[in-house]
Amino acid sequence: MIEKQTGKQIKYLRTDNGLEFCSDEFNRLCKSEGIVRHLTVRHTPQQNGVAERMNRTIMEKVRCMLSNANLPKSFWAEAASTACFLINRSPSVAIEKKTPQEVWSGNPANYSDLKIFGCPAYAYVNNGKLEPRSIKCVFLGYKAGVKGYKLWCPENRKVVISRDVVFDETAMLPNLSLKDCSNKENQKQVEHQINTESTPQKYAEADLVAYALNVAEDIDANQEPSNYSEVISCEDSEKWMFAIQEEMESLHKNKTWDLVKLPKGKKTVRCKWVFKKKEGTPGVEEPKYKARLVAKGYSQAPGVDFTDVFSPVVKHSSIRALLGIVAMHDLELEQLDVKTAFLHGELEEDIYMQQPEGFTVSEKEDYVCLLKKSLYSLKQSPRQWYKRFDSFMTSHDFKRSSFDSCVYFKKNNDGSFVYLLLYVDDMLIATKDKGEIRKVKAQLSEEFDMKDLGPVKKILGMEILRDRKTSKLYLSQKGYIEKLLCRFNMRSAKPVSTPLAAHFRLSSALSLQSDDEIEYMSHVPYSSAVGSLMYAMVCSRPDLSYAVSAVSRYMANPGKEHWKAVQWILRYSRGTTDVCLQFGRTEDGVIGYVDADFAGDLDRRRSLTGYVFTIGGCAISWKATLQTTVTLSTTEAEYMAITEACKEAIWLKGLFSELNEDLQISTVFCDSQSAIFLTKDQMFHERTKHIDVWYHFVRDIIARGDIVVSKISTHENPADMMTKSLPITKFEHCLDLPNSADNLEEVPLQQVMSTPPQSTIDKPMIAAVLLRLKGVAAGNQ
């Protein structure tokens, strides 16, 4: 560029000894062009003083500009670019008080377009007759090669280039936070890169990478129009318009609204077009262009435009229970999807919406849409859709489960069942006869616009694989975990053998201490990583339960050690991407295992409850959570854990009694003899009277014979991995335990009741009693 723009050739190039300037490829280029290299001695930047002094000048201006404009550090690159733009147009003593721009091009600098960096700017837009004619932005500088201004629009979080701009240089905007404005997905990879650096000096380099990734994302995002005006002028205008026409046809077919005059005293809800381009398989499937008309539901007033908004979805335990039944009885399992599901909901309130942009009816420009059906982004849309679907199912002889509102079943004359599970607009249908599935599909298609996805392959990010010859069904999240590892830059991490090593002693004392650590952790995507791992744990990975439970307690204020623990879990996931749940044929019913870790929480000394329920050796329900109160002994902790497990057992028993009478749950195994004794006898009332009454309901359950709590050896209890960090041999043993029915040990009730176990009064309880006695004695004295 220098040679073409100035007609002069480069003779010398002076740099430091950094590897970015000393690659073999670059050295060969300089040698072939006859450019002589000047390299500084290491740790002597003064030898390249001209460049170093200019860096300082630029950064001093950047700090001042950001501070004056109340902008966060995330805009440092824009400020640096503007600083260079101004320096090139400022007189310099080194070139006889001329400007670099003039010396470079031979033309004097033009100052007529200069504006104050960071000032409010109003860019002209044309979004419709009734829409505002401008959007409020922040001035960020000048776009190279384009005759226009570079602006940041906080509303849609994009950089805008515009020439028709009105500036307000008399004021600055208040502090602009980018916590929600920056592209979180891209920052995750960058932030992990920051976390692995050893010194704060490298933050600036990582910020540069973050800026580059954000800019790259903005470029990609431009492929998807942000509003209707961009659709008209973009390259794929015809394809986007076809998608819009499809959406409008669907809305009219569904009779979503009527055009009416706006009644006095009523307000309208605005709407907007949302566009998404879904990339197809290269060479096989063409990209899909989708358009959705969504209401701006945030402007709805509670009590006026909506009341109740809650809508249930099927529980993951119910999904796994159905998969267990499918594998056991070799049922057909297929999947359906409802097109534009939310448009089927009947509205109970009068909601008025402006006419869609680009589709204003001629001679009725002042009319508004009185919504008859729900629309995407309305507060009540999910609830109204569920109510409509529930009404349809119950009117077609399906019964709704009293244990899960999104599980429907119907018993045929031959004794077989038809099952249907609903998660918003995704459905699973299972039955013995394919003809029954076709019948249900036909009924649904008459009422709703359905998409038949055939035999189930994937739902909610979970892959379902079947081997009908061996009657095996596999539930895997391999694809999700691989994306998760890629997102947090852990694809090449070294795998480890356990979810959380024993050397991690996590507590709030390890939270942020020094300023350096606060700065370090501000770039760490801790909450996002834990949340992503939590979804894997909830869906198909009970082996992650204890580890995710441990790190999730410090979401509000994590420290470096907590982040290392999260990275450890990701490394474990890296080596176990192929781990999945395996369902098969079995004569065993549902079996439960429960365990507790006494005072495992180092902060509040609360105990941890862990349980897992299996069907044919495959886990269908699990939990690892802190208990609500502090217990005084191991016995109490185990007793409370049994209570939690029995509550889940009752729910599962009720669910299976509806779905399949042959599958019942009757036994929960626990490794604490003393806790089992307390569940069956109230002899030691003095030792348990401080325990909340609601925990004692387990005694009634056991007395009625609904659930039997039986003894199992600690070494044979798979729930042990739900409550503590285990060595690799014990951890792998726990993973394999549910597959063997030989490990179960029933203790006769007579034996338990005749001689109380010695461990009923354990050391922590004795210590508590001694402390009380000591206090009483001191008071009497």
Side-chain angles (χ1 to χ4, degrees), residues 60-198:
E60 286 176 343
K61 293 181 182 294
V62 167
R63 282 194 296 272
C64 293
M65 292 163 68
L66 291 178
S67 175
N68 183 62
N70 297 321
L71 289 175
K73 296 177 183 177
S74 307
F75 286 114
W76 74 268
E78 308 292 345
S81 176
T82 303
C84 293
F85 184 92
L86 297 175
I87 291 172
N88 286 333
R89 287 154 181 78
S90 302
S92 172
V93 176
I95 49 177
E96 300 176 352
K97 296 186 179 181
K98 295 181 180 180
T99 65
Q101 175 73 17
E102 183 179 355
V103 174
W104 175 268
S105 65
N107 301 318
N110 180 15
Y111 301 106
S112 61
D113 294 329
L114 294 185
K115 306 295 178 184
I116 297 177
F117 179 84
C119 70
Y122 298 83
Y124 173 81
V125 291
N126 186 4
N127 292 333
K129 293 184 178 179
L130 301 179
E131 295 296 317
R133 285 289 185 246
S134 68
I135 53 173
K136 190 173 184 179
C137 302
V138 180
F139 173 62
L140 293 183
Y142 315 86
K143 179 70 173 177
V146 178
K147 195 173 182 180
Y149 298 101
K150 186 186 294 186
L151 312 171
W152 170 262
C153 180
E155 182 179 354
N156 57 27
R157 305 192 295 274
K158 285 189 177 182
V159 173
V160 179
I161 307 298
S162 177
R163 58 173 295 182
D164 299 319
V165 186
V166 176
F167 295 89
D168 180 11
E169 296 182 270
T170 62
M172 290 292 175
L173 293 173
N175 289 334
L176 179 63
S177 171
L178 284 190
K179 287 182 180 178
D180 296 324
C181 299
S182 59
N183 188 286
K184 297 179 181 177
E185 291 294 324
N186 287 331
Q187 283 187 340
K188 305 296 196 291
Q189 300 180 19
V190 180
E191 287 161 354
H192 172 72
Q193 197 169 353
I194 297 170
N195 300 332
T196 56
E197 302 289 358
S198 58

Side-chain angles (χ1 to χ4, degrees), residues 699-711:
R699 291 175 174 169
D700 296 333
I701 298 298
I702 293 171
R704 290 203 307 263
D706 294 347
I707 304 292
V708 175
V709 181
S710 297
K711 178 71 169 66

Side-chain angles (χ1 to χ4, degrees), residues 473-516:
L473 186 149
Y474 303 92
L475 184 65
S476 170
Q477 282 185 289
K478 182 177 180 179
Y480 172 80
I481 292 175
E482 286 178 347
K483 288 181 180 178
L484 171 66
L485 295 170
C486 179
R487 180 179 174 187
F488 296 103
N489 202 24
M490 296 291 284
R491 276 188 304 178
S492 57
K494 183 179 178 181
V496 291
S497 302
T498 58
L500 199 63
H503 69 267
F504 286 107
R505 301 283 293 168
L506 302 181
S507 70
S508 57
L510 300 174
S511 295
L512 301 180
Q513 303 290 338
S514 63
D515 291 340
D516 288 343

